[in-house]
């Protein structure tokens, strides 16, 4: 009913920047919080950043001051600008959205397929 499609991952040297984007489509009435998570091999998936529909943001301590989350409510998109990247930022990054569906079909949490970010030292 809802699809999240991420783009923008890749390989970058330490100190470089990448911008991830995620577009939501489907039977969307409204999107509440949108977030980015990441998962490195052998490590539990962790929250990187979250943004509410009103624009309030919260970040993991490890990315504060380096990453910026933003969203376009009209386009149902969320982005993550990542600056000053470090090798420890290497992970698969996942988009997440809390969505109310049209036609009274309920409210659900959705995940994108993930995009790989690799930071070389």
């Amino acid at each position: 009913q809802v699809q999240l499609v991420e783009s923008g991952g890749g390989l970058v040297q330490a100190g470089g920047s990448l911008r991830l984007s995620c577009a939501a489509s489907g039977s969307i009435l409204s999107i509440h919080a949108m977030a980015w998570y990441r998962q490195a091999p052998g490590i539990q998936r962790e929250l990187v950043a979250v943004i509410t529909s009103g624009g309030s943001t919260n970040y993991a301590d490890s990315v504060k001051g380096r990453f910026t989350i933003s969203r376009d409510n009209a386009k149902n998109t969320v982005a993550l600008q990542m600056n000053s990247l470090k090798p420890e930022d290497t992970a698969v990054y996942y988009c997440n959205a809390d969505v109310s569906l049209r036609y009274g079909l309920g409210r659900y949490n959705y995940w994108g397929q993930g995009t790989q970010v690799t930071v070389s030292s």
Side-chain angles (χ1 to χ4, degrees), residues 9-18 20 36-41 43 46-49 59-68 80-94 115-121:
L11 172 64
V12 65
Q13 289 188 331
S17 298
L18 281 175
L20 305 182
W36 288 95
Y37 286 74
R38 67 186 181 188
Q39 187 167 22
I43 299 177
E46 63 173 353
L47 176 65
V48 175
Y59 297 91
D61 288 343
S62 59
V63 307
K64 281 181 181 177
R66 299 188 298 122
F67 291 10
T68 301
L80 185 69
Q81 178 66 42
M82 305 185 293
N83 299 328
S84 302
L85 283 160
K86 305 175 181 180
E88 51 264 44
D89 294 318
T90 295
V92 178
Y93 284 70
Y94 296 91
T115 185
Q116 177 70 46
V117 171
T118 303
V119 184
S120 63
S121 57

Side-chain angles (χ1 to χ4, degrees), residues 6-84:
E6 299 125 335
S7 60
L11 172 64
V12 65
Q13 289 188 331
S17 298
L18 281 175
R19 183 177 178 86
L20 305 182
S21 298
C22 173
S25 62
S27 298
I28 298 170
L29 176 64
S30 62
I31 302 179
H32 309 285
M34 301 186 82
W36 288 95
Y37 286 74
R38 67 186 181 188
Q39 187 167 22
I43 299 177
Q44 193 171 6
R45 190 174 296 188
E46 63 173 353
L47 176 65
V48 175
V50 59
I51 185 167
T52 67
S53 57
S56 297
T57 60
N58 199 17
Y59 297 91
D61 288 343
S62 59
V63 307
K64 281 181 181 177
R66 299 188 298 122
F67 291 10
T68 301
I69 189 171
S70 60
R71 65 188 285 175
D72 185 329
N73 291 332
K75 296 181 179 180
N76 290 334
T77 59
V78 63
L80 185 69
Q81 178 66 42
M82 305 185 293
N83 299 328
S84 302

